[in-house]
Amino acid sequence: NAGVTQTPKFRVLKTGQSMTLLCAQDMNHEYMYWYRQDPGMGLRLIHYSVGEGTTAKGEVPDGYNVSRLKKQNFLLGLESAAPSQTSVYFCASSPTGASTEAFFGQGTRLTVV
Amino acid sequence: SQQGEEDPQALSIQEGENATMNCSYKTSINNLQWYRQNSGRGLVHLILIRSNEREKHSGRLRVTLDTSKKSSSLLITASRAADTASYFCATVTGNTPLVFGKGTRLSVIA
C-alpha cells in the first residue's frame, strides 16, 4: 500500500518551460489537493478536487492547471514556468472531505531558473 | 488567506521536557487538525479535534480547543529527539479544504 505517490521528486525547469506533476493515490479517496510550501509561508492550496472529473481553485491557482480524469490521479500542470513557482509541491488526499485526515505525498521540489 | 497562526515560530527544548505549541484562528471552524513535518518530508496527521470537543489525547500528545478564544494548543509530553520537526495546525470550515498555518519548528536537544 503506497499511499500518495508524487512524481517526480525533483525537477529543474527553465523559465517558460512547461511540466506536469503527477499525484497518484491507492486508497480510493474522493478528495485530492495540491499545495505549495514556501519558506515562512506554510502550505497554500493551489487547486483541489472533490471527485473524478471535478476540480476547483484554491488560494493561489494562477499559473497552474489541474486535471482529475481518473479517481486515483491528480495532475498539476505548469504551462509556462516562472521563478516565482520555485517551491515544494505537496499532493494530498482524503476519504470524504475536509472533516477527515489528509494523507500527504513526499513532495516535489521544483526550481525554476 | 491563512487561517491558523502558530505560536511560537520556533521552540527549542531539552529531551524529556514538555513542548507546547499554540494555534489561533480567525473564523468559526468545523474541526482543527495538527500535522507534523519532518525535514524534507511530507506532512503526517497527528490528531483531529472537532468544534464540539475541548480536549483530546493520543499517546504523548494532548490537544485542547477553545472555540470562544478561537485557539488550540498542542502539548507533547516527555519530548524525544525524534519529535524534532515542524508542527502545523490546519482548520476546516464548512466543506472547504484544510487551511494551514505557518508552523512551529520544534527542536528537541538530546
Side-chain angles (χ1 to χ4, degrees):
Chain A
N1 191 338
V4 178
T5 303
Q6 292 183 230
T7 308
K9 290 183 171 51
F10 301 94
R11 184 74 184 267
V12 178
L13 282 181
K14 293 183 178 179
T15 299
Q17 286 185 320
S18 63
M19 78 163 294
T20 300
L21 282 68
L22 171 64
C23 177
Q25 52 97 3
D26 60 3
M27 297 172 283
N28 201 36
H29 286 173
E30 291 293 333
Y31 287 61
M32 297 187 74
Y33 317 89
W34 276 107
Y35 288 89
R36 61 178 287 174
Q37 184 177 32
D38 302 295
M41 296 294 292
L43 279 82
R44 292 182 292 169
L45 182 67
I46 305 171
H47 285 280
Y48 64 102
S49 168
V50 301
E52 181 179 316
T54 74
T55 62
K57 293 180 179 180
E59 180 187 354
V60 288
D62 293 344
Y64 305 95
N65 56 75
V66 288
S67 64
R68 183 102 181 265
L69 298 180
K70 294 183 178 180
K71 186 177 183 179
Q72 63 267 33
N73 295 335
F74 195 29
L75 279 63
L76 177 70
L78 285 73
E79 294 178 343
S80 179
S84 61
Q85 295 177 302
T86 293
S87 187
V88 181
Y89 292 85
F90 287 99
C91 175
S93 70
S94 61
T96 57
S99 292
T100 56
E101 68 176 278
F103 294 80
F104 280 78
Q106 291 302 296
T108 295
R109 185 173 295 275
L110 175 67
T111 302
V112 182
V113 297
Chain B
S1 61
Q2 286 173 304
Q3 160 86 298
E5 193 75 31
E6 289 92 340
D7 171 63
Q9 291 185 345
L11 178 62
S12 183
I13 60 173
Q14 297 289 324
E15 204 168 31
E17 294 181 337
N18 296 341
T20 299
M21 289 158 269
N22 303 297
C23 171
S24 59
Y25 56 91
K26 300 171 185 174
T27 63
S28 297
I29 59 172
N30 291 1
N31 69 67
L32 185 145
Q33 304 180 28
W34 285 91
Y35 288 78
R36 183 187 73 223
Q37 183 181 35
N38 290 94
S39 180
R41 309 296 297 274
L43 278 74
V44 175
H45 181 265
L46 295 176
I47 199 164
L48 181 155
I49 186 165
R50 303 189 189 283
S51 59
N52 60 354
E53 298 175 313
R54 291 296 168 257
E55 187 171 314
K56 285 191 81 170
H57 296 258
S58 178
R60 294 184 295 112
L61 305 180
R62 171 177 170 254
V63 169
T64 62
L65 179 65
D66 187 335
T67 54
S68 67
K69 295 181 179 179
K70 293 186 170 59
S71 67
S72 174
S73 67
L74 170 67
L75 169 68
I76 304 174
T77 60
S79 297
R80 306 166 182 168
D83 294 327
T84 294
S86 291
Y87 293 81
F88 295 87
C89 69
T91 55
V92 175
T93 301
N95 289 322
T96 59
L98 290 164
V99 178
F100 286 86
K102 296 180 181 180
T104 292
R105 293 188 310 277
L106 173 65
S107 297
V108 181
I109 303 167

